[in-house]
Amino acid sequence: QVQLVESGGGLVQPGGSLTLSCTASGNIFSIGHMGWYRQAPGKERELVAVITSGGTTQYGSSVKGRFTVSRDNARNTVYLQMNSLKPEDTAVYHCNSDGMTVVGGATRYLELWGQGTLVTVSS
């Protein structure tokens, strides 16, 4: 089974830091982009950060300068280092990735979403 497994969410005080990680496991190869989206209560899902297989990054405007995305290609893992956290960063953070898999002898493209990990920023 191909899946994304996230970890690292929790409760943190304003101004604090937190690191999320997400690992792609199972029959997946040639992973392309890996990244993070978030969804706060009553709001639409928004881009947080994404990184390509070559290391090119893109950030949502609200997190630029505070969050850093990185990846370990050997471990199929993406990280999100979050600094200077604000209450408005409170959301469920979802990992997203794409790559190739083999099903019934055929190579297929797939896009994956993690179940999400809750980040709460509150004093």
Side-chain angles (χ1 to χ4, degrees):
Q1 180 182 3
V2 183
Q3 60 181 346
L4 297 177
V5 179
E6 301 142 329
S7 63
L11 173 65
V12 62
Q13 291 187 342
S17 298
L18 206 59
T19 301
L20 306 181
S21 64
C22 170
T23 299
S25 64
N27 182 20
I28 185 170
F29 58 97
S30 296
I31 294 176
H33 75 270
M34 298 188 82
W36 297 90
Y37 290 74
R38 69 186 183 186
Q39 188 165 19
K43 295 187 176 181
E44 294 188 354
R45 185 173 293 185
E46 64 172 349
L47 169 71
V48 177
V50 65
I51 183 168
T52 69
S53 57
T56 300
T57 58
Q58 180 181 355
Y59 293 92
S61 57
S62 61
V63 307
K64 279 182 180 179
R66 300 188 296 123
F67 291 10
T68 302
V69 64
S70 62
R71 66 190 281 174
D72 183 338
N73 291 330
R75 291 181 169 81
N76 290 345
T77 299
V78 61
Y79 305 95
L80 184 68
Q81 174 67 44
M82 304 183 291
N83 298 325
S84 303
L85 282 160
K86 306 174 181 179
E88 50 264 43
D89 294 317
T90 296
V92 176
Y93 285 69
H94 294 271
C95 181
N96 173 254
S97 182
D98 70 351
M100 305 301 291
T101 189
V102 176
V103 179
T107 300
R108 296 186 178 180
Y109 169 83
L110 76 164
E111 182 173 14
L112 299 172
W113 287 92
Q115 289 190 327
T117 184
L118 177 62
V119 173
T120 303
V121 184
S122 175
S123 55

